[in-house]
Amino acid sequence: MKKLGLLFLAGALTIGLAACGGADEETTAPKQEESTEAGAASGVEEYTITATNWDFTSDKELTIKKGTKVKINLVNKEGMHTISSEGLGIEMGADKPAEFTADKTGEYELICSTVCGATEDHEAMKISLKIVD
Ligand SMILES: [Cu+2]
């Protein structure tokens, strides 16, 4: 039984390493990237989500007013991650931002949709997005 556990762990580690293989060491001081709201001119609120192994380093709670046009960018600082939300019907990647209109109030979950490491690490990557009146 113990051996099996170790084997599983080794397997998980290998997957984890593969996911973040080639990731550059951060040589510059980490820059905090906050979600940014674009000017009202374009009528689109733009957010940027940053991902590392295995965390989202930008805001983990987004609150958006109903009726807002939203664009969400994903920046992978480390590893390969994608984001999806079943509730919102969106799927995005590093080179594929999500654009939608927040037309239904509620609380939605944005999750990492690429198995990017050990299950518990990967499943910890979540962002809550609230659409409010
Ligand atoms: Cu991930």
Side-chain angles (χ1 to χ4, degrees):
M1 258 347 212
K2 228 177 179 176
K3 247 190 186 150
L4 260 182
L6 273 177
L7 266 180
F8 173 76
L9 189 66
L13 278 174
T14 311
I15 294 167
L17 286 174
C20 61
D24 294 327
E25 294 274 346
E26 274 192 79
T27 47
T28 50
K31 205 170 43 175
Q32 192 68 37
E33 273 187 54
E34 301 285 330
S35 302
T36 48
E37 288 179 26
S42 64
V44 176
E45 269 183 28
E46 199 165 338
Y47 297 86
T48 298
I49 294 172
T50 53
T52 64
N53 290 332
W54 284 268
D55 198 9
F56 290 117
T57 48
S58 47
D59 287 347
K60 288 188 193 67
E61 282 186 46
L62 303 175
T63 304
I64 293 169
K65 210 162 163 33
K66 186 181 167 184
T68 307
K69 284 185 191 159
V70 184
K71 180 178 180 188
I72 305 179
N73 306 292
L74 170 65
V75 175
N76 282 332
K77 292 207 154 181
E78 186 185 41
M80 304 248 290
H81 311 277
T82 53
I83 293 175
S84 70
S85 170
E86 227 175 85
L88 291 167
I90 57 170
E91 176 75 49
M92 72 184 100
D95 50 3
K96 192 175 154 240
E99 289 180 78
F100 60 98
T101 301
D103 50 10
K104 227 171 117 197
T105 56
E107 190 168 345
Y108 302 91
E109 211 166 52
L110 305 181
I111 59 164
C112 181
S113 49
T114 295
V115 180
C116 57
T119 310
E120 65 268 30
D121 291 330
H122 162 64
E123 285 182 351
M125 299 185 70
K126 279 181 194 166
I127 290 173
S128 145
L129 189 156
K130 282 181 204 156
I131 298 175
V132 297
D133 270 318

